[in-house]
């Protein structure tokens, strides 16, 4: 019996005696057995994993580093034992917790609506852009458009001035005896009167192209080439002026400029509406001229794997959205909250609050319509990544009725303001399963009946009568664990 106890004792204490090389004597084994109070096994109870005591007692199991005492000159990077201290780069966040790493998707659409897309390896790119000069100048920046506007006039003036000078030179108007101050003595009939050189030809080119007509320089009927050149330059002047004016007008009134006054909320939110989890964002218009036929769309960009194993990193999925009960077509007279119900048809149906941090996706939203003042179509865009979606928040109202002014007022200072509300952290699928379970929990007797059958997990629920959805949402984790154990 003693030898059996000795074997059991040695096997239980082998982890503590591996460093000892000498064998264990019978006396050392029997001493604790003689006095039961001396023989006890230390049991370490780990505190809560997020508590400070757990971190200090077991620093290797938690992602922080405990730095021992350093000399006071350590952070000043002074010499220590003849060697300077060096700072090491920190790769851990102060707020890091296991399982809470956020994955941020690189944007496809910026918050201002610009697309984060670059193009390369395009064949004959410049030639194709020059063939569509009108669209190229409209899409280009203002400095290039204004430069092209100025050069189109200056270069045309110079080119026609050279042509006028050649006509004068070939006709002989630039000879000394045929200049304007000698024409009365010689009786010479020039092609254009009052031409002394290239400067006079340049001024006459400007007057002809823009039909200024100061009344000094005129074309003579004795020179047919001058008459033809005057007609050609007049036609070119009208066409070039109309072309450049159209470019400037189109650039000033294009839809992108109108989209600058269409607002999207900084963040999107997820909360419950009528017991259903919903993704919501807010849109607004700063101008009094409304958008006619306004429609809102939303698309989810997410990585998807097909059944064949193909990985689609930029897969678009249309989200069904609407405002109140009006669908995606809205009467856009004040800021409205656009809602996407996370139901069985939603791609976000299986996403919980934790999955929102871990997943990697982007939601692109678009507002389209016709500008009331100009009649042109416009489109405003924005996007929300997973870090810009607030779980358990709701937008504050911004439209109030002012009795003094007898009109509705919009407070745009509260356009991005949200309020935190109680929202289940589980996914919409789990929440629907919990609601199905909730139908059976109608009385405290039924709660006690189930709590006695599942190892006491539901005994701590303290079921009210009747059970409300808000109470059930708070107890969703416990009820969900009960469902899994019940199915098993």
């Amino acid at each position: 019996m003693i030898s059996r106890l000795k074997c059991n004792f040695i096997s239980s204490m082998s982890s503590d005696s591996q460093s000892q090389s000498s064998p264990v004597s019978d006396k050392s084994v029997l001493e604790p057995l003689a006095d039961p109070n001396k023989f006890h096994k230390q049991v370490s109870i780990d505190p809560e994993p997020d508590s400070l005591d757990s971190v200090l007692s077991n620093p290797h199991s938690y992602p922080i580093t405990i730095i021992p005492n350093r000399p006071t000159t350590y952070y000043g990077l002074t010499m220590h034992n003849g060697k300077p201290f060096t700072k090491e780069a920190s790769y851990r966040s102060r707020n890091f917790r296991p399982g809470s790493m956020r994955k941020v998707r690189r944007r496809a659409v910026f918050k201002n609506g610009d697309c984060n897309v670059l193009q390369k390896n395009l064949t004959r790119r410049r030639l194709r852009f020059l063939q569509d000069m009108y669209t190229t100048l409209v899409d280009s920046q203002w400095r290039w458009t204004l430069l092209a506007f100025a050069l189109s006039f200056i270069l045309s003036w110079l080119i026609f001035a050279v042509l006028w000078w050649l006509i004068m030179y070939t006709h002989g108007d630039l000879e000394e005896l045929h200049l304007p101050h000698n024409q009365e003595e010689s009786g010479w009939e020039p092609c254009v009167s009052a031409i002394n050189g290239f400067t006079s030809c340049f001024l006459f080119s400007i007057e002809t192209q823009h039909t200024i007509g100061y009344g000094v320089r005129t074309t003579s009927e004795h020179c047919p080439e001058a008459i033809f050149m005057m007609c050609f330059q007049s036609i070119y002047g009208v066409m070039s002026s109309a072309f450049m004016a159209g470019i400037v007008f189109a650039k000033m009134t294009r839809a992108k400029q109108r989209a600058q006054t269409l607002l999207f909320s900084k963040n999107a939110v997820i909360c419950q509406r009528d017991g259903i989890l919903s993704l919501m964002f807010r849109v607004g218009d700063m101008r009094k001229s409304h958008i006619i036929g306004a429609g809102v769309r939303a698309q989810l960009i997410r990585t998807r794997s097909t059944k064949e194993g193909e990985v689609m990193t930029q897969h678009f999925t249309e989200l069904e959205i609407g405002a109140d009960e009006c669908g995606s077509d809205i009467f856009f007279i004040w800021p409205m909250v656009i809602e996407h119900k996370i139901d069985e048809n939603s791609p976000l149906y299986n996403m919980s609050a934790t999955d929102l941090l871990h997943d990697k996706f982007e939601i692109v939203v678009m507002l389209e319509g016709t500008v009331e003042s100009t009649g042109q179509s416009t489109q405003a865009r924005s996007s929300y990544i997973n870090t810009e979606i607030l779980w358990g928040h709701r937008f504050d109202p911004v439209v109030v009725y002012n009795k003094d002014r007898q009109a509705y007022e919009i407070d745009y200072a509260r356009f991005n303001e949200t309020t935190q509300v109680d929202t289940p952290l589980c996914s919409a699928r789990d929440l629907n399963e919990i609601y199905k379970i909730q139908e059976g929990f109608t009385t405290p007797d039924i709660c006690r009946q189930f709590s006695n059958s599942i190892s006491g997990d539901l005994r701590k629920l303290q079921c009210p009568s009747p059970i409300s959805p808000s109470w059930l949402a708070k107890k969703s984790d416990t009820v969900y664990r009960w469902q899994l154990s019940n199915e098993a």
Side-chain angles (χ1 to χ4, degrees):
M1 181 67 181
I2 296 178
S3 61
R4 184 180 301 176
L5 290 174
K6 181 174 70 174
C7 294
N8 294 337
F9 180 78
I10 294 176
S11 61
S12 62
M13 300 297 291
S14 60
S15 59
D16 298 334
S17 61
Q18 290 179 356
S19 61
Q20 298 177 3
S21 60
S22 60
V24 182
S25 61
D26 297 341
K27 183 178 180 181
S28 61
V29 174
L30 296 177
E31 284 181 358
L33 296 177
D35 190 0
N37 296 328
K38 293 182 180 181
F39 176 72
H40 62 279
K41 185 178 179 179
Q42 295 182 356
V43 180
S44 59
I45 301 176
D46 294 335
E48 297 181 2
D50 291 338
S51 63
L52 182 60
D53 296 336
S54 175
V55 175
L56 296 178
S57 61
N58 194 9
H60 298 287
S61 64
Y62 208 75
I64 67 171
T65 303
I66 301 177
I67 303 176
N69 294 331
R70 302 289 189 182
T72 56
T73 57
Y74 173 75
Y75 298 99
L77 301 181
T78 58
M79 300 293 292
H80 177 68
N81 295 332
K83 297 181 180 180
F85 289 107
T86 57
K87 288 184 177 180
E88 296 182 358
S90 177
Y91 298 97
R92 297 181 183 272
S93 174
R94 184 176 179 180
N95 297 325
F96 176 80
R97 291 294 183 272
S100 64
M101 179 64 69
R102 289 188 174 188
K103 294 182 180 180
V104 181
R105 180 183 178 88
R106 290 181 285 270
R107 289 185 181 276
V109 178
F110 292 111
K111 299 294 287 185
N112 59 355
D114 295 338
C115 296
N116 187 20
V117 179
L118 300 178
Q119 299 175 349
K120 67 177 183 177
N121 298 331
L122 293 176
T123 59
R124 303 173 60 188
R125 179 176 182 272
R126 295 184 179 179
L127 179 60
R128 296 174 185 269
F129 276 58
L130 289 176
Q131 290 176 351
D132 189 11
M133 182 61 70
Y134 181 82
T135 306
T136 302
L137 292 177
V138 171
D139 292 339
S140 61
Q141 297 181 356
W142 268 106
R143 55 176 176 266
W144 302 114
T145 303
L146 295 178
L147 180 62
F149 184 87
L151 290 178
S152 65
F153 288 104
I154 295 174
L155 292 178
S156 63
W157 296 337
L158 289 174
I159 292 174
F160 281 103
V162 172
L163 295 177
W164 283 112
W165 184 85
L166 292 176
I167 292 174
M168 304 302 173
Y169 181 79
T170 56
H171 190 262
D173 295 343
L174 299 180
E175 297 180 2
E176 184 64 26
L177 296 176
H178 299 162
L179 293 177
H181 60 277
N182 295 327
Q183 289 178 358
E184 294 182 0
E185 298 179 358
S186 61
W188 180 259
E189 290 291 338
C191 288
V192 179
S193 61
I195 296 296
N196 296 311
F198 182 79
T199 305
S200 301
C201 295
F202 181 76
L203 294 176
F204 182 71
S205 175
I206 298 175
E207 296 174 13
T208 304
Q209 184 168 334
H210 299 285
T211 64
I212 297 175
Y214 288 113
V216 178
R217 301 176 181 87
T218 57
T219 306
S220 175
E221 60 185 8
H222 301 285
C223 189
E225 58 271 19
I227 297 175
F228 174 78
M229 183 59 63
M230 181 185 64
C231 295
F232 181 77
Q233 187 175 4
S234 299
I235 296 173
Y236 174 82
V238 174
M239 293 181 62
S240 63
S241 299
F243 181 76
M244 297 309 299
I247 290 176
V248 174
F249 177 79
K251 192 172 182 61
M252 294 180 63
T253 60
R254 58 180 175 170
K256 184 177 180 181
Q257 303 300 330
R258 180 62 176 89
Q260 301 299 323
T261 55
L262 298 176
L263 304 178
F264 291 90
S265 58
K266 182 180 178 181
N267 299 97
V269 299
I270 293 180
C271 64
Q272 279 186 300
R273 270 193 175 183
D274 297 330
I276 301 176
L277 287 178
S278 300
L279 171 70
M280 292 175 285
F281 60 92
R282 178 180 280 168
V283 295
D285 189 3
M286 298 175 58
R287 292 189 179 274
K288 296 184 66 177
S289 58
H290 306 303
I291 300 296
I292 302 175
V296 186
R297 296 175 55 195
Q299 292 182 347
L300 175 68
I301 305 178
R302 192 178 185 183
T303 302
R304 175 179 175 269
S305 298
T306 62
K307 296 180 180 179
E308 295 77 15
E310 180 186 1
V311 179
M312 306 170 64
T313 56
Q314 290 83 26
H315 182 263
F316 284 79
T317 304
E318 190 76 19
L319 299 180
E320 296 182 2
I321 60 176
D324 299 333
E325 300 297 333
C326 300
S328 59
D329 297 331
I330 58 177
F331 182 45
F332 200 29
I333 59 175
W334 51 50
M336 304 190 71
V337 176
I338 309 301
E339 175 188 3
H340 165 67
K341 294 184 178 180
I342 307 178
D343 53 10
E344 293 83 356
N345 300 324
S346 173
L348 307 177
Y349 188 58
N350 297 322
M351 183 176 295
S352 63
T354 305
D355 297 334
L356 184 67
L357 299 177
H358 293 175
D359 211 334
K360 187 177 179 182
F361 64 91
E362 180 180 2
I363 298 177
V364 179
V365 294
M366 293 160 284
L367 174 63
E368 300 174 345
T370 303
V371 182
E372 184 180 21
S373 56
T374 62
Q376 294 183 343
S377 300
T378 183
Q379 184 187 74
R381 299 182 296 265
S382 185
S383 67
Y384 302 98
I385 56 179
N386 58 335
T387 58
E388 295 173 345
I389 300 178
L390 305 178
W391 191 290
H393 285 251
R394 181 184 300 160
F395 284 108
D396 294 341
V398 295
V399 181
V400 295
Y401 185 78
N402 192 330
K403 296 182 179 179
D404 298 333
R405 302 179 63 179
Q406 296 295 312
Y408 288 95
E409 281 187 347
I410 303 173
D411 186 8
Y412 277 100
R414 301 176 60 84
F415 185 79
N416 295 315
E417 297 295 330
T418 60
T419 301
Q420 189 172 2
V421 294
D422 292 336
T423 304
L425 300 179
C426 59
S427 63
R429 176 187 292 274
D430 295 339
L431 187 60
N432 290 339
E433 295 295 333
I434 292 174
Y435 284 152
K436 294 179 181 179
I437 300 174
Q438 186 257 350
E439 296 176 358
F441 293 95
T442 55
T443 60
D445 296 334
I446 297 179
C447 285
R448 287 191 293 269
Q449 178 182 356
F450 281 100
S451 63
N452 294 329
S453 61
I454 54 169
S455 67
D457 285 340
L458 292 179
R459 297 175 185 176
K460 300 178 181 179
L461 290 178
Q462 298 178 358
C463 304
S465 179
I467 294 177
S468 62
S470 60
W471 174 87
L472 187 63
K474 295 180 181 179
K475 305 298 183 179
S476 59
D477 293 338
T478 305
V479 177
Y480 185 65
R481 288 197 305 268
W482 169 82
Q483 181 193 15
L484 294 179
S485 61
N486 191 28
E487 292 178 357

